[in-house]
Amino acid sequence: MSKSAKQIADELSISRQRVQQIIRQLPASKRPQKASGRYAINAISEDAIKSVFYGNPANQSKEQGNASSVKKRQEDATESESHSETADPSAVISVLKEQLKASTSQLSAKDEQIKELHRLLDQSQQLQLMAEHKLKQLEAPKNELESAAEPTADKIHTRSPEALRAAESAPEQRLSFWRRLFGRQK
């Protein structure tokens, strides 16, 4: 009768991937054949897998530990089944009440956290609003200076006719770029 890798893994209390890894380590003569994408492990291959697994001293101690942990799990399962069958309804109610109290305390703690976060959010928004207001106040004098400078710009464009005639009569000396940049005159 052939077994699957999962069945061997369950027997050895290891993962299916570890069984497949051991199979890849086996020599070709002892390696099981794949049937429809799954290993069909016969008795010879099973013995080879177990010998490789038990051949490693670290695995032997793991197997002993796994066997004892499997037994413990089975004992716990049977114990919990027996407790559930003989459990007194008042005991179940007391356990449920304790769970309810724990849930209630967790909810109240979460409510407090939410309140604190809302308070911090409000504080942050107020600080942001104050910062924007201060920026507007700082920009306001700058805007006033710009608006005060605009009338003088208008005065430049409204020259008197005498100034226009004097500018036209003066010979224009075109300065080079560098002289205009550094301001040196001849």
Side-chain angles (χ1 to χ4, degrees):
M1 178 173 127
S2 64
K3 294 183 178 180
S4 67
K6 177 69 175 152
Q7 290 170 336
I8 299 292
D10 290 340
E11 285 179 18
L12 297 175
S13 299
I14 58 174
S15 67
R16 179 183 49 82
Q17 290 86 1
R18 177 66 179 133
V19 171
Q20 291 176 346
Q21 185 181 31
I22 292 171
I23 290 171
R24 285 191 296 270
Q25 293 174 356
L26 293 175
S29 62
K30 294 185 179 182
R31 193 173 295 160
Q33 299 297 319
K34 276 193 172 182
S36 67
R38 295 180 182 207
Y39 286 111
I41 301 172
N42 57 19
I44 296 170
S45 299
E46 182 180 353
D47 291 339
I49 291 169
K50 287 181 179 179
S51 67
V52 168
F53 181 73
Y54 291 128
N56 189 352
N59 287 340
Q60 289 176 353
S61 64
K62 280 184 187 177
E63 175 58 29
Q64 291 170 355
N66 285 342
S68 64
S69 66
V70 168
K71 286 180 185 177
K72 286 180 185 177
R73 280 188 246 139
Q74 289 174 348
E75 289 172 3
D76 290 341
T78 58
E79 186 177 315
S80 66
E81 288 174 7
S82 65
H83 282 299
S84 64
E85 292 172 0
T86 61
D88 190 21
S90 62
V92 172
I93 291 173
S94 65
V95 169
L96 290 175
K97 285 182 180 180
E98 289 175 13
Q99 290 177 350
L100 181 63
K101 286 179 185 177
S103 299
T104 306
S105 66
Q106 288 177 351
L107 283 174
S108 63
K110 296 292 182 189
D111 288 342
E112 291 298 320
Q113 289 176 349
I114 290 171
K115 285 180 186 177
E116 180 67 17
L117 289 174
H118 276 292
R119 187 186 63 78
L120 291 173
L121 179 64
D122 288 342
Q123 184 180 11
S124 172
Q125 289 173 344
Q126 289 174 358
L127 288 172
Q128 183 69 26
L129 183 64
M130 289 171 53
E132 287 178 14
H133 184 66
K134 285 184 180 181
L135 282 174
K136 285 181 182 178
Q137 286 178 349
L138 290 174
E139 289 176 357
K142 185 188 273 188
N143 290 340
E144 289 175 5
L145 290 176
E146 289 175 0
S147 64
E150 288 176 8
T152 58
D154 291 340
K155 289 180 184 177
I156 293 173
H157 293 295
T158 55
R159 290 185 179 177
S160 65
E162 297 171 1
L164 285 174
R165 279 187 232 134
E168 289 175 358
S169 64
E172 244 182 75
Q173 290 183 347
R174 184 83 179 160
L175 298 176
S176 69
F177 170 77
W178 297 106
R179 290 190 191 245
R180 281 183 284 154
L181 182 64
F182 295 111
R184 291 185 189 164
Q185 298 283 335
K186 287 186 183 178

